[in-house]
């Protein structure tokens, strides 16, 4: 909650701490009146705090049944990255650098933790990248491939982070595919890179999976440099 006044952060944390599990196993907050009495503040202050929590998806308010805690919508994290990008704190290039480091680790983890069903889905998506003809369809298959890869870690923190930068990843993949568009040999190599990643993960070989992912990014860097030279 960086950027929120300290007193407001404290109030929000105190409000969330009052949640108790109800008979249905759901965390429920007390009423506005009870919260105001507990916190020693006016109900309008509690109402504003609850509105903020609801806006970002931390609570769900149902008239007649109460206010409940819930996992926040990903739009909360998406908004953070979108604003950080607009303000110039991050860029597609910095996200691409972070993603490269991140996905090398993902490939290793996937080789250890992925289920047979997940590997089959990854293989289906790598085949789909070749089979579909539409540009956006290829981008979508590529995006889903990397999303499934992140899910193979079975780590909710990794999934939350990856989905938080989803729009940026889609833009990066679109940029890559756009550069390679019409360069059949380059696109074939990129598609082959994806198959090499799947093969290594299916073999349960973390080192080979990381190497395949490194080759995937190295090929992209070469193509990107070449295109930059051609455009000069």
């Amino acid at each position: 909650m960086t950027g929120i006044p300290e007193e407001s952060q404290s109030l929000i944390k105190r409000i969330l701490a009052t949640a108790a599990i109800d008979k249905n196993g759901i965390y429920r907050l007390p009423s506005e009146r009870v919260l105001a009495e507990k916190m020693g503040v006016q109900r309008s202050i509690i109402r504003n705090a609850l509105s903020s929590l609801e806006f970002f998806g931390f609570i769900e308010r149902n008239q007649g049944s109460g206010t409940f805690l819930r996992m926040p919508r990903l739009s909360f994290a998406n908004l953070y990255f979108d604003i950080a990008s607009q303000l110039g704190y991050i860029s597609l290039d910095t996200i691409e650098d972070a993603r490269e480091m991140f996905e090398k680790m993902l490939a290793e983890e996937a080789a250890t933790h992925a289920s047979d069903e997940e590997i089959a889905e990854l293989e289906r998506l790598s085949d789909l990248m070749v089979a579909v003809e539409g540009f956006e369809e290829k981008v979508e298959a590529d995006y889903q491939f990397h999303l499934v890869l992140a899910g193979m870690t079975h780590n909710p923190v990794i999934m939350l982070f990856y989905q938080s930068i989803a729009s940026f990843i889609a833009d990066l993949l679109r940029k890559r595919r756009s550069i390679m568009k019409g360069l059949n040999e380059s696109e074939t190599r990129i598609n082959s890179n994806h198959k090499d990643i799947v093969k290594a993960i299916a073999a349960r070989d973390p080192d080979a999976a990381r190497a395949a992912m490194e080759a995937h990014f190295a090929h992209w860097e070469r193509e990107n440099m070449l295109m930059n030279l051609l455009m000069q």
Side-chain angles (χ1 to χ4, degrees):
M1 297 181 186
T2 303
I4 299 175
E6 202 169 306
E7 56 191 28
S8 296
Q9 288 189 46
S10 176
L11 177 61
I12 288 173
K13 289 177 181 178
R14 288 168 60 202
I15 288 173
L16 294 176
T18 64
I21 300 177
D22 67 10
K23 62 181 181 181
N24 297 314
I26 301 173
Y27 281 92
R28 179 198 293 266
L29 288 175
S31 67
E32 287 183 8
R33 179 184 60 78
V34 172
L35 282 171
E37 291 174 356
K38 283 178 175 286
M39 306 297 144
V41 298
Q42 297 178 348
R43 287 183 64 174
S44 60
I45 294 176
I46 295 295
R47 191 174 301 118
N48 288 338
L50 292 177
S51 293
S52 296
L53 288 169
E54 184 177 29
F55 176 79
F56 286 115
F58 287 97
I59 64 171
E60 181 177 335
R61 291 197 279 185
N62 298 315
Q63 191 168 4
S65 58
T67 302
F68 308 91
L69 296 190
R70 51 167 288 175
M71 279 296 294
R73 293 185 295 273
L74 283 171
S75 56
F76 169 69
N78 295 152
L79 180 62
Y80 173 86
F81 281 98
D82 286 343
I83 293 175
S85 176
Q86 289 179 27
L87 294 176
Y89 288 108
I90 61 174
S91 66
L92 275 180
D93 288 338
T94 57
I95 288 179
E96 175 70 343
D97 290 342
R99 175 177 166 252
E100 181 174 346
M101 291 184 284
F102 193 59
E103 291 209 355
K104 291 173 184 177
M105 177 272 293
L106 287 184
E108 286 183 304
E109 290 294 305
T112 303
H113 300 292
S115 67
D116 292 341
E117 292 77 15
E118 288 169 329
I119 293 172
E121 176 62 9
L122 204 64
E123 186 171 14
R124 183 189 73 81
L125 290 166
S126 69
D127 290 340
L128 189 62
M129 287 179 221
V130 179
V132 296
E133 296 183 0
F135 176 74
E136 287 298 330
E137 292 169 299
K138 287 183 180 294
V139 171
E140 179 62 19
D142 201 347
Y143 169 70
Q144 290 298 328
F145 179 95
H146 291 278
L147 188 62
V148 169
L149 182 66
M152 286 176 162
T153 64
H154 301 159
N155 186 319
V157 175
I158 289 176
M159 281 302 297
L160 178 60
F161 171 75
Y162 206 85
Q163 290 174 328
S164 296
I165 59 173
S167 62
F168 293 97
I169 292 174
D171 287 343
L172 286 167
L173 296 175
R174 191 171 287 107
K175 174 185 173 184
R176 285 187 175 191
R177 292 276 173 179
S178 179
I179 288 174
M180 296 185 301
K181 196 174 182 180
L183 302 177
N184 293 331
E185 182 179 344
S186 179
E187 186 166 22
T188 298
R189 182 63 246 170
I190 284 292
N191 290 334
S192 179
N193 288 154
H194 285 91
K195 290 185 177 297
D196 291 341
I197 294 167
V198 175
K199 183 178 179 180
I201 291 173
R204 307 294 182 180
D205 188 334
D207 292 336
R210 182 182 181 89
M213 186 63 76
E214 288 175 344
H216 176 57
F217 281 103
H219 180 77
W220 158 243
E221 287 299 328
R222 288 194 298 271
E223 293 299 330
N224 194 35
M225 290 174 62
L226 176 60
M227 291 303 297
N228 287 335
L229 288 173
L230 292 174
M231 289 187 292
Q232 288 180 358

